[in-house]
Amino acid sequence: MIYLDNAATTRPAESVIRKAGECMSEHFGNPSSLHKLGLDAELYLKQTRKMIADSIGTEPETVLFTSGATESSNLALRGIASVYGKRNKKKIITSAVEHASVRSTLAMLEQQGYEIIRIQPDENGRFQADDFIQAADETTFLISMMRVENETGRILPVPEVFRRIRKKYPDIILHCDAVQAYMKLPVKLKDMPADLISFSAHKIHGIKGTGALYIRKGIRLTPILTGGKQEKSIRPGTEAVPLIAGFGEAVRLMQDNITERLESAQHKKEYLLNLLSETPDIIINSETDKNFSSPYIVNFSVKGIRSEIMLHYLESKEIYVSSGSACSKGAKSGVLSAYHVPDSLADCAIRVSFSEDTTEQELDLLVQAIQEGQANLIHKKS
Ligand code: PLP
């Protein structure tokens, strides 16, 4: 099997699975219980909280556990709107390419009367920090931007926007969806002065169903759920201790070699782009300049062959890729059209996303299979 869909999810690391298993079989207590079993379970939460906090440069008490980044962003955006969105402060600025978890939440807030400004990329498909700054004014209370866009891997200028907004409009709350950046690019609060950051465990070899939200001290938000005192009552409900234990282990595994892995992914991206450039009828939808794109994601269109057809052809060879964003399940997300990719090519888009385990040999086999697919599928059509 060749797995090239790591932006959708990653394979949990062996040590993550072991850690979660150990937690379930030996330390199954409720972390809120006052007895020893509870304290043992709570230790896992403490460890992971500290791991995540250390990795971005903050205090453990600013990190809360959720069921994943979708929940983190919902909690952040709805929670902030309900506290800071006032009659004369109704404006939220975002990018036109956010993940559905932010996009749909903001669309819902728009229906409730908030004004949503969606910043578009320029004609080269790059986001300009100035566009976000110029859109902000005294009526703005929130900016939500993703660091790495998940369909083509473009990098948004979040650190620059947040630094400049912080100086010019210190009251605006700053949220970042860092899901595709965390443990792949440096995500540090000293460079990116965010108030809120969303994280997901299963994109970094952790387990599905857990994530985190960083909330800067002093920021208030209304919880979505009501219940017990867990996670400061901001996210009540018994924490998913085994998954969170695995999250901590995933961070431990990944944090020490971010730069080396980045370089290695860049190498793989260039290798794949080179192979694709020698293949006819392939159009690259990703940015190729490494200053503006994550090396972990390559999006391209195979002219004349719809994404699902190619995806299933590759699947028949046990090669797993995605057609754009996994969350969109075939529905158009609008992200490619924001980059001026015509519908005829967006319908043929394939997203390949690497992990540290991806090899050049796998990329050779992928391109070989695509070429075979081109010969077979186009031949069949005529
Ligand atoms: N944000 C981005 C950029 C993503 O790629 C994803 C997952 O695809 C999410 C948010 C949602 O994360 P989760 O699956 O943890 O809810």
Side-chain angles (χ1 to χ4, degrees), residues 7-8 68-70 99 101 146 148 150 177 179-180 200 202-203 327:
T70 298
H99 181 265
S101 51
M146 66 199 319
V148 170
N150 52 293
D177 170 348
V179 169
Q180 297 290 349
S200 177
H202 73 103
K203 311 285 183 177
C327 298

Side-chain angles (χ1 to χ4, degrees), residues 95-97 119-122 125-129 131-132 145 149 154-157 292 338-339:
S95 83
V97 297
I119 304 295
Q120 301 288 337
D122 66 14
R126 292 181 185 166
F127 284 92
Q128 300 298 338
D131 292 341
F132 290 86
M145 287 174 77
E149 169 268 290
R154 279 174 172 82
I155 294 178
L156 278 75
F292 298 97
Y339 300 122

Side-chain angles (χ1 to χ4, degrees), residues 348-368:
C348 305
I350 294 287
R351 178 185 70 180
V352 168
S353 45
F354 309 139
S355 81
E356 31 299 315
D357 302 329
T358 306
T359 63
E360 290 183 357
Q361 196 203 355
E362 289 179 328
L363 299 177
D364 287 336
L365 292 169
L366 166 74
V367 176
Q368 200 180 313

